[in-house]
Amino acid sequence: MNDKKYCILTYGCQMNVHESEKLAGFLEERGFTETNKQENADIIVFNTCCIRKSAEEKILGNIGAVKPLKKNNPDLIVAVCGCMSQQVEMAEHIKKTFPFVNIIFGTHNLDKFGEYLDNYINTHKRILDIKDKTILNEKVPMYRTSGYNGWVNIMYGCNNFCTYCIVPYVRGREISRQPNDIIDEIEGLLSTSKYKIITLLGQNVNSYGKDMGNDVTFAKLLNKIADLPYDFKLKFMTSHPKDLTDDVIDAIANNPKISKTLHLPVQSGSNRILKMMNRNYTVEHYLDIIDKIKTKIPNISLTSDFIVGFPSETEEDFEATCDLVKKVGYNSIFAFMYSPRPGTPAAKFDNQIDINEKNRRVNILLKLEKEISNQKTKEMLGTIENCIVEKKLDDHNYLVKTDNGKTIIVKNSDLKELSFVNIKIDDRIDDQLFGTLVK
Ligand code: 5AD
Ligand code: SF4
């Protein structure tokens, strides 16, 4: 152990949150310890996201803000990695604009972070290394920082090329991990009793195994993991509606260890826009899937992503999106203003929508989401939810969490932290739910 500290700044999705645990693994292995204060750090790592321009602008601003720290501590090492720097032009831009950034690499060479660190510390030569092939990251150290949540990659990359999306360009083609490697990792986590929620990660988990050419499927993987003899909940993200098969729906319905939550991004409620987005399903097809899910899993909690202001989106298209949101009755949604990403087809489409109009539409959708999620929270009153006991608040009062992330205060009880309990929700004050233990 040395007395040096590291600070990792993570932007974007859960994939990045987990990859930061791998970056931390390399640093811990070298004796660095974690700090969340940049001014105390000897190394700052920016693990970046490029899904929307706003993310990139924020990150560039935050990298720039490190300059004064470097003045106070000339030995400070600054590294930039992840999706944003996987774009070669952006990596060059960062190198040119921020001479104090010492190490730049992309998503495909995260496994080399240790090497880069050692090289930089020994030679003080700047490093810029971007590879263009997706790798499995099988043998990298890991320092988990997400409490009882264990993130587990099952696949990397995406083959879908939705016309708005930069992900296939910065994450490469789909590549699945071997089922045995996944199971071993999960057994390793569960056997410690520290991890109670396992979340399988992939850009499109429903196409897991398709690149392996044998009969491995996502549903089989789910069932195999859920059969492991431990007390835990299994979650996964993200699913593409076009690849969500009946056997996956059946697995969720039939296995009590698989969380009754599903994130199924639809993006738009207009068939014309879905076609332009290259999503490969229609609204009718999506609603059929939703019907099937609700029939087989009546207590399912659904969430989705939406993009508003896609090129040429009319008021009518947008209203179709609002109608779909109302029809499905999501527990919550994420709504984004379309952001043109250089190199993606949609960035060159005609009829780009004015920013003020995008803003107006996103606000309407977010308002709708608030009403709907409020209604959903109200509907939880009187229901019984299987929850994890997160922590003891004070004498006999506990904070427990539902599968879909709602916290409930349970008073006058004696619960075991990190156990699963059935809670009847019997009161609500503003956004806070209160419940009692059901024996
Ligand atoms: N602009 C706005 N939102 C986007 N997303 C992906 N690409 C873009 C873009 N160019 C959204 C999608 C996706 C979520 C992770 O981010 O809704 O599901
Ligand atoms: Fe992007 Fe579409 Fe792949 Fe999701 S499925 S990562 S939205 S290209």
Side-chain angles (χ1 to χ4, degrees):
M1 178 146 153
N2 61 42
D3 57 354
K4 303 238 185 254
K5 298 207 173 325
Y6 69 89
C7 177
I8 302 180
L9 298 145
T10 308
Y11 302 85
C13 63
Q14 258 72 27
M15 189 71 90
N16 266 15
V17 171
H18 184 41
E19 278 175 0
S20 285
E21 296 183 328
K22 299 179 184 177
L23 296 165
F26 284 106
L27 289 155
E28 294 278 335
E29 209 177 53
R30 283 161 178 74
F32 290 81
T33 51
E34 193 183 7
T35 172
N36 52 16
K37 291 205 171 72
Q38 291 182 52
E39 56 275 22
N40 294 342
D42 299 282
I43 169 157
I44 299 176
V45 185
F46 289 88
N47 188 10
T48 63
C49 167
C50 61
I51 197 95
R52 282 169 287 276
K53 190 170 181 209
S54 52
E56 288 196 331
E57 284 170 347
K58 180 171 151 196
I59 295 165
L60 288 173
N62 291 352
I63 298 174
V66 162
K67 196 175 171 187
L69 297 180
K70 193 98 175 188
K71 272 210 178 117
N72 297 339
N73 175 9
D75 291 334
L76 174 68
I77 301 174
V78 181
V80 179
C81 62
C83 292
M84 192 171 157
S85 46
Q86 179 64 37
Q87 306 165 96
V88 177
E89 274 169 30
M90 180 54 87
E92 293 290 351
H93 173 74
I94 292 168
K95 186 175 177 200
K96 209 166 89 204
T97 319
F98 306 112
F100 55 84
V101 172
N102 312 106
I103 304 172
I104 304 171
F105 59 103
T107 54
H108 300 323
N109 39 356
L110 184 142
D111 61 322
K112 297 270 183 319
F113 182 45
E115 232 172 80
Y116 299 147
L117 268 177
D118 297 341
N119 282 348
Y120 184 77
I121 290 167
N122 289 332
T123 66
H124 282 88
K125 273 204 189 120
R126 288 182 93 188
I127 296 168
L128 187 155
D129 194 16
I130 314 293
K131 299 255 181 319
D132 66 359
K133 192 161 170 28
T134 317
I135 51 146
L136 276 180
N137 276 333
E138 225 31 83
K139 299 265 175 291
V140 297
M142 225 181 270
Y143 180 71
R144 294 184 181 269
T145 53
S146 305
Y148 59 79
N149 293 288
W151 309 108
V152 177
N153 287 113
I154 62 165
M155 60 189 299
Y156 300 87
C158 178
N159 290 354
N160 287 317
F161 291 95
C162 301
T163 54
Y164 51 81
C165 189
I166 190 86
V167 168
Y169 304 87
V170 292
R171 290 277 175 182
R173 295 299 66 73
E174 287 173 6
I175 169 166
S176 303
R177 288 181 70 196
Q178 289 298 327
N180 288 347
D181 289 334
I182 297 170
I183 304 267
D184 284 353
E185 182 178 341
I186 295 175
E187 281 216 275
L189 294 177
L190 295 174
S191 61
T192 65
S193 310
K194 236 179 98 184
Y195 297 95
K196 295 291 171 186
I197 300 203
I198 298 293
T199 306
L200 309 179
L201 294 175
Q203 248 77 42
N204 178 15
V205 289
N206 299 97
S207 62
Y208 172 76
K210 282 185 183 163
D211 57 310
M212 297 204 295
N214 43 31
D215 63 348
V216 177
T217 65
F218 183 53
K220 282 186 193 164
L221 181 74
L222 275 180
N223 284 320
K224 209 164 166 187
I225 299 169
D227 282 345
L228 292 171
Y230 300 93
D231 196 23
F232 71 106
K233 280 272 170 69
L234 182 58
K235 297 186 173 186
F236 54 88
M237 64 192 342
T238 291
S239 295
H240 194 305
K242 79 174 167 56
D243 296 315
L244 185 74
T245 45
D246 286 0
D247 51 1
V248 172
I249 301 175
D250 290 337
I252 307 172
N254 298 334
N255 207 315
K257 283 190 203 157
I258 303 181
S259 162
K260 308 296 176 249
T261 55
L262 187 63
H263 185 57
L264 198 60
V266 63
Q267 312 296 358
S268 169
S270 152
N271 282 336
R272 190 181 69 83
I273 297 291
L274 286 174
K275 191 148 203 251
M276 287 179 74
M277 286 177 163
N278 190 31
R279 291 292 289 178
N280 280 304
Y281 53 81
T282 60
V283 174
E284 293 71 27
H285 179 198
Y286 183 83
L287 285 171
D288 280 350
I289 302 173
I290 295 287
D291 264 354
K292 211 183 287 174
I293 295 170
K294 285 184 175 171
T295 309
K296 288 189 173 172
I297 320 162
N299 57 342
I300 191 81
S301 166
L302 292 163
T303 53
S304 187
D305 294 341
F306 289 86
I307 295 178
V308 302
F310 187 80
S312 85
E313 185 188 68
T314 61
E315 191 61 28
E316 214 183 335
D317 294 319
F318 173 63
E319 276 168 16
T321 296
C322 296
D323 286 347
L324 179 67
V325 170
K326 289 180 207 153
K327 250 184 222 155
V328 174
Y330 295 103
N331 280 68
S332 66
I333 62 165
F334 300 90
F336 307 106
M337 285 190 276
Y338 168 68
S339 169
R341 303 285 60 217
T344 61
K348 294 190 216 83
F349 286 176
D350 292 339
N351 288 325
Q352 297 282 333
I353 306 292
D354 175 73
I355 177 81
N356 294 320
E357 183 54 24
K358 285 190 219 177
N359 207 357
R360 186 185 72 84
R361 291 180 193 174
V362 88
N363 283 327
I364 294 175
L365 208 51
L366 289 172
K367 192 165 161 258
L368 193 58
E369 118 86 8
K370 241 203 175 112
E371 288 165 18
I372 291 172
S373 81
N374 248 331
Q375 180 57 29
K376 282 277 168 194
T377 312
K378 266 190 204 149
E379 285 169 15
M380 288 175 87
L381 276 177
T383 61
I384 294 172
E385 295 274 340
N386 190 247
C387 304
I388 183 158
V389 182
E390 267 212 332
K391 62 176 178 205
K392 190 168 185 168
L393 293 172
D394 46 51
D395 262 0
H396 308 292
N397 294 333
Y398 291 83
L399 198 69
V400 307
K401 206 178 217 171
T402 64
D403 269 10
N404 64 8
K406 291 255 184 267
T407 53
I408 306 174
I409 293 176
V410 180
K411 292 186 174 167
N412 305 320
S413 234
D414 241 334
L415 306 178
K416 186 166 163 259
E417 277 179 310
L418 295 193
S419 65
F420 289 98
V421 287
N422 286 331
I423 300 293
K424 177 154 184 280
I425 303 174
D426 36 35
D427 201 4
R428 171 179 184 239
I429 301 175
D430 298 326
D431 269 348
Q432 184 58 60
L433 296 169
F434 295 84
T436 41
L437 180 69
V438 179
K439 291 267 161 59

Short mmCIF file of all heavy atoms in Angstrom, two decimals, residues 51-52 164-165 265 267 305-307 336-339 341, ligand 1:
data_model
loop_
_atom_site.label_atom_id
_atom_site.label_comp_id
_atom_site.label_asym_id
_atom_site.label_seq_id
_atom_site.Cartn_x
_atom_site.Cartn_y
_atom_site.Cartn_z
N ILE A 51 -23.28 9.56 -25.09
CA ILE A 51 -24.60 9.24 -25.64
C ILE A 51 -25.32 10.49 -26.14
O ILE A 51 -26.05 10.44 -27.12
CB ILE A 51 -25.45 8.45 -24.61
CG1 ILE A 51 -26.63 7.76 -25.25
CG2 ILE A 51 -25.91 9.31 -23.45
CD1 ILE A 51 -26.41 6.36 -25.62
N ARG A 52 -25.10 11.61 -25.44
CA ARG A 52 -25.68 12.89 -25.88
C ARG A 52 -24.61 13.98 -25.81
O ARG A 52 -23.67 13.88 -25.02
CB ARG A 52 -26.87 13.29 -25.00
CG ARG A 52 -28.14 12.53 -25.32
CD ARG A 52 -29.22 12.73 -24.29
NE ARG A 52 -28.91 12.00 -23.07
CZ ARG A 52 -29.19 10.71 -22.87
NH1 ARG A 52 -29.81 10.02 -23.79
NH2 ARG A 52 -28.84 10.10 -21.75
N TYR A 164 -29.98 6.83 -34.33
CA TYR A 164 -29.60 7.96 -33.50
C TYR A 164 -28.40 7.65 -32.60
O TYR A 164 -27.83 8.53 -31.98
CB TYR A 164 -30.77 8.37 -32.58
CG TYR A 164 -31.34 7.19 -31.80
CD1 TYR A 164 -30.74 6.74 -30.65
CD2 TYR A 164 -32.46 6.51 -32.28
CE1 TYR A 164 -31.25 5.63 -29.97
CE2 TYR A 164 -32.96 5.41 -31.61
CZ TYR A 164 -32.34 4.98 -30.46
OH TYR A 164 -32.82 3.87 -29.80
N CYS A 165 -28.01 6.37 -32.52
CA CYS A 165 -27.20 5.92 -31.39
C CYS A 165 -25.72 5.75 -31.71
O CYS A 165 -25.34 5.12 -32.70
CB CYS A 165 -27.76 4.61 -30.86
SG CYS A 165 -26.99 4.12 -29.31
N PRO A 265 -37.02 -0.22 -23.35
CA PRO A 265 -37.07 1.06 -24.06
C PRO A 265 -37.82 0.97 -25.37
O PRO A 265 -37.54 0.10 -26.19
CB PRO A 265 -35.60 1.39 -24.31
CG PRO A 265 -34.84 0.61 -23.30
CD PRO A 265 -35.64 -0.65 -23.11
N GLN A 267 -38.67 4.10 -27.13
CA GLN A 267 -38.11 5.30 -27.80
C GLN A 267 -39.16 6.22 -28.42
O GLN A 267 -39.04 7.43 -28.33
CB GLN A 267 -37.06 4.95 -28.87
CG GLN A 267 -35.98 3.96 -28.44
CD GLN A 267 -35.07 4.42 -27.31
OE1 GLN A 267 -35.20 5.54 -26.84
NE2 GLN A 267 -34.19 3.57 -26.85
N ASP A 305 -37.31 4.05 -22.03
CA ASP A 305 -36.62 5.27 -22.49
C ASP A 305 -37.37 5.85 -23.68
O ASP A 305 -37.91 5.09 -24.50
CB ASP A 305 -35.20 4.96 -22.99
CG ASP A 305 -34.27 4.47 -21.90
OD1 ASP A 305 -34.57 4.70 -20.72
OD2 ASP A 305 -33.24 3.87 -22.25
N PHE A 306 -37.38 7.17 -23.78
CA PHE A 306 -38.01 7.86 -24.91
C PHE A 306 -37.08 8.93 -25.44
O PHE A 306 -36.39 9.60 -24.66
CB PHE A 306 -39.32 8.53 -24.47
CG PHE A 306 -40.41 7.54 -24.19
CD1 PHE A 306 -40.52 6.97 -22.94
CD2 PHE A 306 -41.31 7.17 -25.18
CE1 PHE A 306 -41.51 6.03 -22.68
CE2 PHE A 306 -42.30 6.24 -24.94
CZ PHE A 306 -42.40 5.67 -23.68
N ILE A 307 -37.10 9.09 -26.76
CA ILE A 307 -36.38 10.20 -27.37
C ILE A 307 -37.42 11.12 -28.00
O ILE A 307 -38.25 10.64 -28.79
CB ILE A 307 -35.40 9.71 -28.45
CG1 ILE A 307 -34.30 8.85 -27.80
CG2 ILE A 307 -34.79 10.88 -29.20
CD1 ILE A 307 -33.31 8.27 -28.81
N PHE A 336 -35.57 11.80 -23.18
CA PHE A 336 -34.38 12.56 -23.61
C PHE A 336 -34.71 13.37 -24.86
O PHE A 336 -35.47 12.92 -25.71
CB PHE A 336 -33.24 11.61 -23.96
CG PHE A 336 -32.92 10.63 -22.86
CD1 PHE A 336 -33.29 9.30 -22.97
CD2 PHE A 336 -32.25 11.04 -21.71
CE1 PHE A 336 -32.99 8.39 -21.97
CE2 PHE A 336 -31.96 10.15 -20.70
CZ PHE A 336 -32.33 8.82 -20.83
N MET A 337 -34.08 14.54 -24.96
CA MET A 337 -34.17 15.30 -26.21
C MET A 337 -33.19 14.68 -27.19
O MET A 337 -32.04 14.41 -26.81
CB MET A 337 -33.76 16.76 -25.96
CG MET A 337 -34.79 17.56 -25.24
SD MET A 337 -34.32 19.29 -25.27
CE MET A 337 -33.22 19.36 -23.89
N TYR A 338 -33.62 14.48 -28.43
CA TYR A 338 -32.72 13.90 -29.42
C TYR A 338 -31.47 14.77 -29.55
O TYR A 338 -31.55 16.00 -29.67
CB TYR A 338 -33.42 13.79 -30.79
CG TYR A 338 -32.45 13.47 -31.88
CD1 TYR A 338 -31.82 12.23 -31.92
CD2 TYR A 338 -32.10 14.42 -32.83
CE1 TYR A 338 -30.87 11.94 -32.89
CE2 TYR A 338 -31.16 14.15 -33.81
CZ TYR A 338 -30.55 12.90 -33.83
OH TYR A 338 -29.60 12.63 -34.78
N SER A 339 -30.32 14.11 -29.54
CA SER A 339 -29.05 14.82 -29.67
C SER A 339 -28.30 14.23 -30.85
O SER A 339 -27.96 13.04 -30.84
CB SER A 339 -28.27 14.63 -28.36
OG SER A 339 -26.96 15.06 -28.48
N ARG A 341 -25.60 12.83 -33.02
CA ARG A 341 -24.26 12.32 -32.73
C ARG A 341 -23.48 12.19 -34.03
O ARG A 341 -23.89 11.45 -34.93
CB ARG A 341 -24.33 10.94 -32.03
CG ARG A 341 -25.13 10.89 -30.74
CD ARG A 341 -24.41 11.51 -29.54
NE ARG A 341 -24.09 12.92 -29.69
CZ ARG A 341 -22.98 13.51 -29.24
NH1 ARG A 341 -22.06 12.82 -28.65
NH2 ARG A 341 -22.79 14.78 -29.38
N1 5AD B 1 -30.06 11.45 -28.31
C1 5AD B 1 -30.89 11.36 -27.24
N2 5AD B 1 -31.05 10.24 -26.55
C2 5AD B 1 -30.35 9.15 -26.94
N3 5AD B 1 -30.32 7.89 -26.46
C3 5AD B 1 -29.46 7.17 -27.20
N4 5AD B 1 -28.93 7.93 -28.17
C4 5AD B 1 -29.48 9.17 -28.04
C5 5AD B 1 -29.35 10.39 -28.73
N5 5AD B 1 -28.54 10.51 -29.81
C6 5AD B 1 -31.16 7.43 -25.34
C7 5AD B 1 -32.05 6.26 -25.72
C8 5AD B 1 -31.41 5.11 -25.02
C9 5AD B 1 -30.86 5.77 -23.79
C10 5AD B 1 -29.81 5.01 -23.08
O1 5AD B 1 -30.34 6.99 -24.29
O2 5AD B 1 -33.34 6.51 -25.22
O3 5AD B 1 -32.33 4.09 -24.70
#
